[in-house]
Amino acid sequence: MVLVITEPVKSLSKRVCVIGAGPSGLVSARELKREGHKVVVMEQNNDVGGQWLYQPNVEEEDPLGKTKTLKVHSSIYSSLRLLSPREVMGFSDFPFTAKEGRDARRFPGHEELWLYLKDFCQVFGLGEMIRFNVRVDFVGMVNDDTTDDDDDRMKRWMVKIVEKETGEVTEEVFDAVVVASGHYSYPRLPSIKGMNLWKRKQLHSHIYRVPDPFRDEVVVVVGCSLSGQDISIELVGVAKEVHLSGKSLDIPPGLSKVISKHQNLHLHLQIESLEEDGRVIFEDGSCVVADTLLYCTGYDYKFPFLESKGRVEVDDNRVGPLFEHTFSPYLSPSLSFVGIPRKLIGFPFFESQGKWIAKLLSGEITLPSSDQMMQSIYDFYSSREADGIPKRNTHDIADFNYSDTYADYTGFPHLEEWRKTLCKNSILNSIENLETFRDSWDDEDLLQETLQDPYFSQLSTP
């Protein structure tokens, strides 16, 4: 083991560890760098991209992802295309424009977004800050001998990393840690009667890549999410039968059109039980003998490396307590999280998070008191409960106004109206036209007007 000890940084420039070189980690690193901090990005894979770094080889991964440490981070499948149009996805000063010789479609495949992130990394000189092929094994406070009433905001952090190729372990001390490790890797599984006794193939969509292995099979897709719908559409071309199981038979028009078009695609209510002989019994009383169960049931937030002494925990997929989904009231700003919220326009939001963290660490701005942050968190939890939102959906925002309110903490620009409108239009189009919305739309006039915005004339090439 190699132990690296550094003296505390006495200036307002902090030594910061960013965990993850996906979109949220890269833009956070850039904002920290701009603010004058010394940044080290720890990335477990051999390139940037996070989820968007496609990993085709999944044979060594547990099919249901039940191991503590996953071998595969990305859950991207080969045919995946973006759900949102490229115009809305770029960072505030780096538009996601089409490049000659690359995938120029408005809803491109996943590789195009990965290349965009590589361009971003190159243009802003982030590569020199990134350590590849290292796994963060442990993050914990140094000399945690203070109480929550003391000034925990000056804490330092021990980060233990493991070189994936050699197994060499290194420990380093940082003034702050930014967790940007993503939340689409650890499978979230349902609890189904007989699940552990069902002897046939079961896997989570985390390791789904291509449809060929399911040729001529009877496949039950569990979960009517967007990924469940997307994968089911792909499977009907090779599988004998595809049975899509969801919470309700009240489905969007686009999915109804798909089901009516394919005779081998069937919709059911949730699974009531699994039988040892291969039968899958649904709540609606129907039954099929299946070859494979494919769970498209979402993902869990997990931070197996983090030891916060109970100050930050995951309870039924609620990470908390976190002020504005970012800061622990008793460990901020030295510990922060980027990319926790879901169902919003991600890249600009991650950017605003990174900017807030960077300015807090440099002392340019401050947070409310710990008590004020806790009260804000309790008020937020109460409002979610009053709205009937389950705890597991705490971080599902689905509100453009939240992004603007968040931006006001640092003076970050609000989302442009064209960005909001184009995003809404694509969502509505996908609801009505599930199979075709990525290639056919009715807001072309708005799109052409939008492309004249000065935003799209900014530098976006290496």
Side-chain angles (χ1 to χ4, degrees):
M1 177 184 293
V2 178
L3 179 62
V4 179
I5 299 293
T6 59
E7 290 300 315
V9 179
K10 296 181 181 180
S11 70
L12 293 181
S13 174
K14 300 293 195 298
R15 188 165 189 265
V16 186
C17 174
V18 177
I19 302 175
S24 58
L26 290 175
V27 75
S28 296
R30 186 191 68 169
E31 295 305 317
L32 289 161
K33 177 185 177 183
R34 283 177 164 177
E35 198 65 25
H37 300 296
K38 299 174 176 62
V39 185
V40 179
V41 181
M42 305 295 186
E43 170 53 48
Q44 62 181 326
N45 287 315
N46 61 1
D47 209 338
V48 301
Q51 273 297 322
W52 299 100
L53 178 61
Y54 179 60
Q55 296 176 280
N57 301 317
V58 296
E59 292 78 14
E60 295 185 5
E61 186 69 278
D62 182 276
L64 296 176
K66 291 186 175 182
T67 55
K68 179 182 177 181
T69 302
L70 298 177
K71 297 181 183 297
V72 176
H73 177 73
S74 176
S75 299
I76 297 293
Y77 43 95
S78 178
S79 66
L80 184 141
R81 291 175 64 185
L82 303 190
L83 287 171
S84 300
R86 66 191 310 148
E87 308 88 48
V88 311
M89 294 194 65
F91 295 117
S92 71
D93 55 359
F94 197 72
F96 184 23
T97 52
K99 300 289 190 300
E100 186 176 351
R102 293 193 348 202
D103 187 348
R105 291 175 296 178
R106 192 180 179 204
F107 293 79
H110 56 82
E111 184 180 14
E112 178 67 10
L113 186 53
W114 172 63
L115 291 172
Y116 166 80
L117 293 171
K118 286 178 71 68
D119 290 345
F120 179 80
C121 186
Q122 183 176 344
V123 167
F124 294 103
L126 306 181
E128 62 187 21
M129 297 187 289
I130 305 173
R131 297 184 194 172
F132 293 108
N133 296 310
V134 294
R135 186 182 72 249
V136 175
D137 235 21
F138 175 83
V139 173
M141 292 166 278
V142 177
N143 299 325
D144 180 30
D145 54 4
T146 59
T147 68
D148 286 341
D149 294 327
D150 293 322
D151 189 6
D152 280 14
R153 303 184 187 196
M154 298 304 294
K155 285 191 176 299
R156 305 184 80 216
W157 295 84
M158 174 70 74
V159 178
K160 181 190 293 183
I161 60 174
V162 180
E163 294 279 351
K164 291 178 68 174
E165 293 185 5
T166 66
E168 181 181 11
V169 178
T170 304
E171 292 182 350
E172 298 186 44
V173 175
F174 292 87
D175 299 303
V177 172
V178 178
V179 179
S181 52
H183 51 77
Y184 292 111
S185 295
Y186 288 93
R188 184 175 179 85
L189 296 169
S191 178
I192 300 174
K193 180 183 177 182
M195 187 173 173
N196 293 330
L197 299 176
W198 206 75
K199 301 302 183 183
R200 303 190 179 191
K201 187 166 58 177
Q202 298 186 66
L203 70 153
H204 191 275
S205 58
H206 170 61
I207 64 165
Y208 175 85
R209 292 297 181 267
V210 293
D212 291 352
F214 306 92
R215 186 170 298 278
D216 298 325
E217 288 190 354
V218 175
V219 182
V220 175
V221 176
V222 184
C224 208
S225 63
L226 288 172
S227 63
Q229 296 176 37
D230 218 21
I231 292 172
S232 294
I233 291 173
E234 184 166 69
L235 287 175
V236 293
V238 298
K240 180 180 179 182
E241 298 174 12
V242 178
H243 297 265
L244 181 58
S245 167
K247 295 179 180 179
S248 171
L249 298 181
D250 183 14
I251 57 175
L255 181 57
S256 293
K257 293 176 186 177
V258 174
I259 292 174
S260 64
K261 178 180 175 182
H262 299 281
Q263 293 186 347
N264 61 335
L265 178 58
H266 310 276
L267 181 67
H268 303 265
L269 286 175
Q270 295 184 105
I271 297 173
E272 183 174 284
S273 66
L274 300 173
E275 305 298 325
E276 290 188 64
D277 60 3
R279 285 179 298 148
V280 178
I281 301 174
F282 300 96
E283 289 180 352
D284 57 15
S286 60
C287 171
V288 298
V289 176
D291 299 295
T292 297
L293 287 176
L294 175 55
Y295 296 98
C296 298
T297 47
Y299 296 87
D300 280 328
Y301 292 92
K302 286 190 180 182
F303 311 97
F305 51 81
L306 180 62
E307 175 51 75
S308 68
K309 303 295 180 64
R311 293 177 176 93
V312 179
E313 295 183 324
V314 182
D315 178 15
D316 191 17
N317 244 16
R318 170 185 285 173
V319 185
L322 292 181
F323 177 62
E324 301 291 10
H325 309 271
T326 309
F327 302 103
S328 162
Y330 301 113
L331 298 173
S332 57
S334 66
L335 177 68
S336 56
F337 295 79
V338 178
I340 295 290
R342 301 178 295 204
K343 296 187 178 180
L344 40 66
I345 301 178
F347 285 23
F349 186 79
F350 304 156
E351 187 178 352
S352 65
Q353 287 187 291
K355 189 175 292 292
W356 193 5
I357 294 165
K359 290 182 178 296
L360 284 166
L361 290 175
S362 66
E364 184 176 332
I365 56 178
T366 59
L367 285 167
S369 69
S370 298
D371 288 344
Q372 288 173 319
M373 287 192 281
M374 283 302 303
Q375 186 60 53
S376 174
I377 294 166
Y378 289 140
D379 291 345
F380 173 69
Y381 288 170
S382 296
S383 70
R384 301 294 271 184
E385 185 176 347
D387 291 339
I389 298 173
K391 181 184 289 187
R392 65 180 180 275
N393 296 333
T394 293
H395 304 294
D396 290 356
I397 305 301
D399 182 3
F400 290 133
N401 292 328
Y402 179 74
S403 296
D404 292 343
T405 301
Y406 192 100
D408 288 341
Y409 283 109
T410 59
F412 189 76
H414 286 190
L415 289 173
E416 304 92 338
E417 287 305 313
W418 57 258
R419 203 186 289 252
K420 298 176 184 178
T421 303
L422 290 176
C423 185
K424 288 178 183 176
N425 288 351
S426 69
I427 292 171
L428 293 174
N429 193 14
S430 70
I431 292 172
E432 291 291 331
N433 304 291
L434 180 61
E435 274 194 294
T436 61
F437 77 95
R438 294 180 177 92
D439 297 304
S440 178
W441 49 85
D442 57 9
D443 59 355
E444 183 65 27
D445 290 344
L446 175 60
L447 172 61
Q448 293 307 316
E449 180 183 341
T450 295
L451 294 176
Q452 302 307 310
D453 191 284
Y455 168 76
F456 291 98
S457 64
Q458 298 179 89
L459 178 69
S460 61
T461 55

